[in-house]
Amino acid sequence: MKSLPRILMTSAILFVASLFVFPMWKITLEAPQYPDGLAMYIWIDKITGSTDYTLQNINILNHYVGMKKIEPESIPELQYFPYIIMGIIGLGLIALFANNSKVYLLWVVIVVVLATLGLYDFYLWEYDYGHNLEATAPIKLPGVTYQPPLFGTKWLLNFKATSLPSTGGVLFGISILLGGTAWWIRRKK
Amino acid sequence: MKNITGLMKLAAMMLLTLSWSCGNQGDANKSKGVMNSSSAAEKVYVAPGEHDEFYAMISGGFSGQLSVYGLPSGRLLKVIPVFSQDAEKSYGYNEETKPMLNTSFGFVPWDDAHHPELSQTDGTPDGRWVFINGNNTPRVARIDLSTFETTEILEIPNSGGNHSSPFTTENTEYIVAGTRFSVPFPQEDVPIDSYKENFKGSLSYIKADVPGEMDIAFQILVPGYDYDLAHSGKGKSHGWTFFTTYNTEKSHTLKEVNASQNDKDFIAAVNWKKAEEYIAQGKFKEMPTRYVHNYYDESTHMATSTKKDKVKVLIPEECPGLIYYLPTPKSPHGVDVDPTGEYIVGNGKLSADLTVHSFDKMLKAIENKAFEGEVDGIPILKFEDVMVGTVSSGGLGPLHTEFDGKGNAYTTFFISSEVVKWKVGTWEVLDRAPCYYSVGHLMIPGGDSKNPWGKYLVAMNKITKDRYLPTGPEMNHSAQLYDISGDKMELILDFPTIGEPHYAQGIAADKVKPRSKKIYALEENNHPHVVKKEKDVKVIREGNVVRVYMTSIRSHFAPDNIEGIQVGDQVYFHLTNLEQDWDTPHGLSIMGAQNAELLVMPGQTETMLWEPKEPGVYPFYCTDFCSALHQEMQGYVRVSKKGSDVPLKWSIGE
């Protein structure tokens, strides 16, 4: 199975590319009076909802506690994320061409670093949304903040908020494992 | 022999009834008609949060509305305003829906809503629309079942009481309208006692399959009888409609006596396919008349009225084969066609028995031209040539019959206050159940269609008396639900209804539920005065007309401070609800407004006219508890004296 590292790396590249087709992350809000649930999808270049109007409805709810409006057009990351992903794909193609264990490792390290930075950036945004509240908000609860969880479930007032990777995010994670495996196998040869 | 058996059964039933009332006086349930309370409770129990199996559309009679219930729970789901103004929903009060109630008499804000009829495809209710007739100022309405709103009303000219209506044909090609009161045709000032010479009836066919295009396709000029009820044929009898008549005596006074003298009146059988041929051949008279068509356009959220001034009339004398009379005993009320389309049941309301005619026999009799007479060019068929059976019911005062799709029919008896179940084809009585009290119409979901859902039967009673906690002299009419899935009908629920239900229609919930809308899309709102963004709100003066382009979203109006209004102004509040979330309406009311609140659904625009009378500052507020900050959803309008120099100004948050 000489070609196995290359097959693995090709799959890793395809899984990274899936971010152009599937959302990275999903945050759902559940409360009794929202039987259909409110789900927000974060893509590399946009934020969408379970319906065309979900984002507007989340913003309406958020304004009571003074949270900023989520406006995808004012989030710069959504502008440059696609280029970073393209860069990762480009580097992956180089690694695939080189088919060298060190280049595979380099690719994996770069992707892990970028992914970690991305998650940290996501955390900062969540922190900002949850803590940077309008002083004139109609509902003010002393000491209460509304930062959604990075990973997992948390109660935000009457809403149960769950934050988990979505299809694209899961595939992206797997691509790291695939790249790592490619490096491991290639290294032994 | 059958009669004797029937009588014996009846006697046995009566003995049984007596023995209950003697032996079980302590058991309140049995004397109220329920055999087994706990099993009945299980059958009607729909757990909290669960949905009913059927929608029931129950007419409101003199309320002019249509109520929507769930079955088997009897839960009231919605009251839909149709022919009457409804302050709750602003129907007929806001500028958008006022035109819905226009007629050739002008604005008529009330009617007597009688018979709901679901649209059908291939003889089966399809869940697109429900139609209902207004009896008093003859009208028919369409209610769209994606919004449960009245979207179309057509006035019926040359009619004096639209009772035998709307009763659809198999594919909703037409709904029908027959005049209950014959009147001079066209209207004119004549002595009432010239009834026999001057009064005529009309049977109308209304194109109904295209929303927004409802219109009278043609009318048939008929003798001056009272046209009571109708049903169109199905299956083999598709292409025909049957109308009952009474007052074939043509009396014009003390009708309770004078219209009840003939031993037999008629069921009129109309071949509407033939009528279409005559219309295509141009064999109609175009008669001048006046009627109004009103259509509510969901895209503009506005109704418009169109005046019409002529109608195509077919005269039976000039159109052979168009219409026949089937003699039917004792002032028949309902006329009901069984699911196969073969049997036409005449419910002779002043008799004990039901008369059943055969469609095949009728065709044969027509072919043989064995007529026993003729009225105004309408051949009268011989009773024995068309009649196929009699149901000797043992009851009195049959009114209406529905079918369960398993070969059984169920007939209400007003005078003996009961529902009688009988077998189609053998005409034997199978079961009977008392009603509390004096039942009028009955409904089995799909029970007048080709494919009934024969599980439940709703009896709509005219008299309530002691069935519920008393509410003074006036009380709601009572309806009763029977389980008809077994051999015996079993009373399982009582529930009050709104107004006076005349007929109802039922349909499996899954035919309607998936089509029900949650919101109106704001981007599809084409109202001429819509505002889609809060930053675009404005106030415009054109002479003494002031237009406030206003929005609402949780939890504020924009603008919420308005100045520069003057006494004598006509102020139009065009309120757009910017919400796009399920079940978030916003209301608007303003102090002193002489109409009603607005209640605007998400994505919709509605308009209130306000004519301030005195200078001052007047509050307005949201009437629907929309959110945690609902109480704060309010604003002020400053009104200055006429000619004041206070500038027109509007703002929010300044």
Side-chain angles (χ1 to χ4, degrees):
Chain A
M1 278 310 279
K2 255 185 90 179
S3 56
L4 189 58
R6 278 197 151 154
I7 290 172
L8 290 169
M9 194 60 205
T10 309
S11 313
I13 292 167
L14 287 174
F15 280 23
V16 172
S18 77
L19 283 173
F20 288 93
V21 190
F22 301 112
M24 290 190 285
W25 217 265
K26 179 184 181 185
I27 298 178
T28 53
L29 296 170
E30 292 170 83
Q33 59 271 63
Y34 286 86
D36 298 344
L38 290 166
M40 195 167 81
Y41 296 95
I42 301 164
W43 302 63
I44 51 168
D45 59 347
K46 62 186 172 185
I47 297 177
T48 61
S50 39
T51 72
D52 290 350
Y53 315 111
T54 304
L55 207 54
Q56 170 177 334
N57 294 327
I58 290 174
N59 281 333
I60 288 173
L61 293 170
N62 289 351
H63 100 278
Y64 288 115
V65 292
M67 289 170 76
K68 277 193 294 204
K69 264 192 181 172
I70 301 169
E71 284 168 333
E73 54 274 23
S74 66
I75 299 176
E77 282 85 338
L78 299 177
Q79 309 294 323
Y80 63 72
F81 264 15
Y83 298 107
I84 293 179
I85 299 304
M86 281 186 243
I88 291 175
I89 293 170
L91 288 175
L93 288 170
I94 292 168
L96 184 66
F97 206 70
N99 195 23
N100 173 299
S101 76
K102 281 182 186 149
V103 186
Y104 282 145
L105 181 62
L106 184 66
W107 184 82
V108 170
V109 170
I110 290 173
V111 174
V112 167
V113 168
L114 286 174
T116 311
L117 284 174
L119 278 174
Y120 180 63
D121 183 62
F122 181 38
Y123 172 85
L124 289 181
W125 272 103
E126 287 192 328
Y127 184 90
D128 183 51
Y129 275 114
H131 288 80
N132 196 356
L133 305 174
E134 199 73 53
T136 55
I139 298 176
K140 272 185 287 197
L141 300 177
V144 178
T145 58
Y146 307 99
Q147 181 179 353
L150 188 64
F151 197 94
T153 294
K154 184 177 164 189
W155 283 90
L156 300 172
L157 297 186
N158 57 325
F159 280 95
K160 186 177 146 195
T162 304
S163 174
L164 290 170
S166 190
T167 316
V170 170
L171 293 177
F172 184 81
I174 294 173
S175 76
I176 296 174
L177 295 178
L178 291 171
T181 314
W183 161 66
W184 190 254
I185 294 171
R186 190 75 189 86
R187 194 191 60 122
K188 282 183 167 177
K189 284 180 181 165
Chain B
M1 191 56 205
K2 264 177 205 153
N3 282 353
I4 292 170
T5 329
L7 277 174
M8 281 169 66
K9 277 185 187 161
L10 180 61
M13 281 291 302
M14 286 171 72
L15 276 173
L16 223 66
T17 317
L18 279 174
S19 64
W20 288 340
S21 48
C22 295
N24 297 298
Q25 277 177 353
D27 190 332
N29 285 326
K30 284 188 183 171
S31 67
K32 301 288 184 196
V34 178
M35 302 298 290
N36 180 336
S37 288
S38 62
S39 91
E42 271 177 34
K43 283 178 176 168
V44 300
Y45 183 71
V46 176
E50 297 293 315
H51 290 173
D52 279 293
E53 194 180 345
F54 294 98
Y55 281 98
M57 320 286 176
I58 301 184
S59 80
F62 44 63
S63 85
Q65 323 291 44
L66 177 75
S67 14
V68 184
Y69 285 83
L71 297 181
S73 73
R75 288 174 182 163
L76 176 63
L77 306 176
K78 188 175 185 183
V79 177
I80 303 169
V82 184
F83 297 116
S84 296
Q85 276 181 304
D86 183 351
E88 174 192 333
K89 299 181 169 69
S90 201
Y91 180 83
Y93 286 99
N94 64 30
E95 298 307 301
E96 285 76 9
T97 54
K98 275 180 188 172
M100 291 302 283
L101 301 176
N102 283 341
T103 70
S104 61
F105 300 89
F107 184 74
V108 179
W110 172 87
D111 216 305
D112 186 10
H114 272 242
H115 310 121
E117 177 84 344
L118 289 160
S119 58
Q120 295 186 359
T121 301
D122 192 24
T124 307
D126 55 24
R128 285 181 294 167
W129 314 300
V130 56
F131 301 97
I132 191 164
N133 60 318
N135 187 59
N136 181 53
T137 304
R139 290 180 261 187
V140 289
R142 179 200 311 273
I143 291 121
D144 187 321
L145 292 182
S146 67
T147 57
F148 287 74
E149 300 282 350
T150 306
T151 53
E152 201 164 4
I153 293 183
L154 179 74
E155 188 182 0
I156 314 296
N158 300 317
S159 176
N162 182 30
H163 197 265
S164 40
S165 182
F167 306 112
T168 185
T169 56
E170 205 169 84
N171 296 298
T172 320
E173 294 94 342
Y174 299 101
I175 53 174
V176 301
T179 188
R180 174 167 159 209
F181 315 117
S182 282
V183 285
F185 187 142
Q187 269 291 2
E188 59 177 328
D189 171 14
V190 294
I192 297 169
D193 64 9
S194 70
Y195 188 105
K196 287 188 168 119
E197 304 92 80
N198 289 324
F199 287 47
K200 290 284 180 193
S202 68
L203 305 177
S204 307
Y205 280 74
I206 299 150
K207 270 312 255 183
D209 52 353
V210 182
E213 293 177 22
M214 206 148 84
D215 200 3
I216 312 280
F218 55 88
Q219 295 193 307
I220 303 170
L221 184 73
V222 285
Y225 307 151
D226 290 33
Y227 292 83
D228 204 11
L229 280 155
H231 261 110
S232 284
K234 50 181 84 95
K236 62 162 80 169
S237 52
H238 177 56
W240 292 77
T241 309
F242 306 94
F243 294 85
T244 46
T245 71
Y246 62 101
N247 194 26
T248 51
E249 297 85 351
K250 291 191 178 178
S251 99
H252 61 275
T253 182
L254 195 62
K255 283 200 187 182
E256 69 167 308
V257 174
N258 295 331
S260 306
Q261 294 308 302
N262 287 349
D263 184 47
K264 291 189 182 68
D265 295 279
F266 299 124
I267 288 175
V270 176
N271 184 343
W272 59 260
K273 291 250 163 125
K274 198 91 186 159
E276 285 180 333
E277 287 170 24
Y278 283 125
I279 293 289
Q281 290 162 19
K283 282 203 173 175
F284 56 85
K285 258 192 192 159
E286 198 158 74
M287 291 181 60
T289 185
R290 289 165 59 217
Y291 64 106
V292 172
H293 173 240
N294 310 315
Y295 178 57
Y296 181 89
D297 182 342
E298 200 182 295
S299 142
T300 59
H301 298 279
M302 278 179 91
T304 43
S305 295
T306 314
K307 287 183 180 167
K308 311 252 176 177
D309 57 9
K310 52 183 183 287
V311 67
K312 290 172 182 158
V313 178
L314 294 172
I315 317 269
E317 275 162 324
E318 298 163 11
C319 302
L322 175 63
I323 173 168
Y324 299 91
Y325 278 146
L326 284 58
T328 306
K330 302 313 290 178
S331 302
H333 188 57
V335 53
D336 301 290
V337 183
D338 86 305
T340 67
E342 163 63 5
Y343 297 115
I344 302 139
V345 181
N347 303 264
K349 67 176 182 274
L350 305 180
S351 69
D353 299 341
L354 293 167
T355 304
V356 184
H357 298 304
S358 152
F359 180 71
D360 289 343
K361 285 185 80 174
M362 182 192 88
L363 287 188
K364 188 161 244 175
I366 291 169
E367 201 182 320
N368 296 339
K369 294 199 159 65
F371 307 134
E372 70 174 29
E374 194 181 289
V375 198
D376 298 352
I378 302 172
I380 302 170
L381 302 170
K382 286 186 186 143
F383 178 62
E384 51 276 14
D385 285 355
V386 290
M387 195 272 281
V388 71
T390 303
V391 181
S392 303
S393 67
L396 192 59
L399 292 184
H400 300 281
T401 299
E402 295 252 295
F403 305 89
D404 65 3
K406 296 173 230 166
N408 304 307
Y410 300 77
T411 302
T412 52
F413 287 77
F414 177 78
I415 302 172
S416 53
S417 187
E418 59 184 339
V419 176
V420 170
K421 175 182 178 181
W422 51 275
K423 187 134 199 79
V424 178
T426 68
W427 326 122
E428 66 184 306
V429 171
L430 301 173
D431 188 25
R432 58 204 317 131
C435 297
Y436 304 89
Y437 305 92
S438 293
V439 60
H441 273 275
L442 80 169
M443 180 274 276
I444 294 169
D448 69 341
S449 77
K450 261 182 175 173
N451 295 296
W453 291 272
K455 191 169 178 186
Y456 300 111
L457 182 156
V458 179
M460 283 154 274
N461 303 297
K462 301 298 184 190
I463 295 170
T464 307
K465 296 204 168 163
D466 63 346
R467 292 304 284 188
Y468 312 115
L469 285 175
T471 54
E474 188 186 346
M475 54 202 98
N476 277 353
H477 283 228
S478 82
Q480 269 134 17
L481 183 72
Y482 298 81
D483 176 355
I484 56 165
S485 56
D487 289 341
K488 295 273 170 200
M489 292 179 272
E490 191 193 336
L491 175 60
I492 51 176
L493 185 72
D494 251 24
F495 59 98
T497 53
I498 289 168
E500 181 191 347
H502 301 261
Y503 202 35
Q505 290 265 279
I507 183 168
D510 58 21
K511 288 224 173 191
V512 178
K513 218 164 114 172
R515 306 182 66 249
S516 188
K517 289 191 177 163
K518 291 182 172 174
I519 58 163
Y520 298 101
L522 187 62
E523 73 243 35
E524 289 163 19
N525 180 331
N526 294 315
H527 192 290
H529 302 295
V530 66
V531 185
K532 297 189 184 181
K533 289 205 169 75
E534 202 169 292
K535 65 175 174 57
D536 297 334
V537 300
K538 59 189 172 184
V539 181
I540 286 173
R541 174 181 287 283
E542 302 153 350
N544 70 333
V545 171
V546 176
R547 296 189 183 276
V548 180
Y549 292 79
M550 189 183 243
T551 62
S552 60
I553 195 158
R554 282 163 286 170
S555 304
H556 58 269
F557 292 105
D560 65 2
N561 282 199
I562 300 162
E563 297 195 353
I565 306 294
Q566 296 176 9
V567 172
D569 282 347
Q570 290 185 309
V571 185
Y572 289 94
F573 288 91
H574 301 294
L575 177 62
T576 302
N577 182 349
L578 297 179
E579 304 278 0
Q580 293 287 270
D581 198 1
W582 189 17
D583 201 11
T584 49
H586 290 293
L588 173 69
S589 69
I590 181 156
M591 189 174 164
Q594 291 175 299
N595 36 34
E597 64 154 352
L598 297 181
L599 187 64
V600 193
M601 296 304 126
Q604 198 178 26
T605 304
E606 285 188 10
T607 302
M608 183 200 288
L609 170 60
W610 180 54
E611 295 173 283
K613 301 282 190 292
E614 296 286 340
V617 179
Y618 300 96
F620 58 86
Y621 70 99
C622 172
T623 49
D624 186 298
F625 203 107
C626 57
S627 62
L629 279 302
H630 160 74
Q631 290 301 90
E632 285 70 18
M633 195 163 168
Q634 50 179 276
Y636 289 105
V637 190
R638 175 179 171 191
V639 177
S640 308
K641 68 179 192 323
K642 198 165 180 58
S644 145
D645 55 7
V646 174
L648 200 60
K649 205 176 109 184
W650 63 94
S651 62
I652 174 173
E654 285 175 12

